[in-house]
Amino acid sequence: MPSTELLIAFLATTAVFAYIPGPAMIYAAAQTIARGRWSGLMAVLGIHLGGYAHVLCAAAGLSILFHAVPLLYMAVKLAGAAYLVWLGICLFRARVEGDAAAADTAPKTGRRAFFESVTVEVLNPKTAIFFLAFLPQFVDASAAFPVWLQLAILGVIVNLMFSSADIVCVFLAGAVTARLKRSSRARRLMHRAGGAMLIGLGAHLAFQKT
């Protein structure tokens, strides 16, 4: 593994990146606002597991394809953006259930949030580019572990730290919206707010230059 000094620098830098509000936090907050804390946590789990696809690609050197083939990067980026917008429209138009019905459908919406989030993360090429650019800076070619294994281990640590920040965001969003859920009108507004956030996130991803 890299030296202690390099690992400390890696952990400090990762923590800074993880806890700066970003798209994953906004996505997790949107799911929490629209569907509740359980769905928010399942969304974080989906993002986390989806992130391992990018960790594996970085360790295997496959992420470099996005640099080598810009058309592939653009196609995956637009597919991910379109999927986010579609999810946002679905949330925006969703029928709001009453308290009892919402409790009954919570496991179903949680599963749905999980599978949607895995897809969103896998279709996010910016995550692959981030791992490709970030992880090699903390790899020690002279270490006992091979480079691919170092990349995989560092990628797992990054994924865990980013997910910890997303979980904090879910609990904060859940605390803010808990009181509002007493009103059916407020629940409707939260669905629409969550949908609008996902639509905005998808549009932002689609029109970003990088």
Side-chain angles (χ1 to χ4, degrees):
M1 285 296 289
S3 64
T4 302
E5 293 80 6
L6 197 59
L7 281 176
I8 291 173
F10 164 74
L11 292 174
T13 308
T14 301
V16 170
F17 276 120
Y19 282 86
I20 292 176
M25 282 189 178
I26 296 172
Y27 176 83
Q31 289 283 359
T32 305
I33 291 169
R35 292 171 167 169
R37 183 180 296 171
W38 175 247
S39 291
L41 290 173
M42 292 302 289
V44 171
L45 179 60
I47 293 171
H48 181 77
L49 294 181
Y52 285 119
H54 297 296
V55 172
L56 290 174
C57 286
L62 298 179
S63 297
I64 200 169
L65 284 174
F66 286 125
H67 271 307
V69 187
L71 188 62
L72 175 63
Y73 174 86
M74 182 62 66
V76 174
K77 185 179 82 164
L78 291 178
Y83 187 63
L84 275 173
V85 171
W86 180 75
L87 291 179
I89 292 172
C90 289
L91 275 182
F92 197 87
R93 298 177 60 186
R95 185 170 64 90
V96 178
E97 306 284 354
D99 289 340
D104 291 338
T105 58
K108 182 179 179 181
T109 57
R111 288 193 296 271
R112 183 174 181 178
F114 169 76
F115 288 112
E116 289 174 353
S117 303
V118 172
T119 305
V120 165
E121 183 63 11
V122 170
L123 289 176
N124 183 9
K126 291 185 71 67
T127 303
I129 296 298
F130 172 78
F131 280 126
L132 181 64
F134 182 68
L135 296 182
Q137 299 181 50
F138 302 97
V139 168
D140 185 355
S142 63
F145 289 179
V147 170
W148 68 266
L149 183 56
Q150 292 183 59
L151 288 170
I153 293 172
L154 294 175
V156 169
I157 294 172
V158 169
N159 208 22
L160 287 169
M161 198 169 294
F162 271 75
S163 293
S164 72
D166 294 341
I167 290 172
V168 171
C169 185
V170 166
F171 277 98
L172 289 175
V176 171
T177 59
R179 295 181 181 180
L180 298 176
K181 289 187 177 180
R182 298 172 185 173
S183 163
S184 60
R185 182 180 179 184
R187 285 198 297 270
R188 191 178 306 113
L189 287 173
M190 286 189 292
H191 260 76
R192 291 178 177 176
M197 290 169 70
L198 292 186
I199 292 170
L201 195 58
H204 175 72
L205 177 62
F207 291 106
Q208 265 191 327
K209 292 184 179 180
T210 57

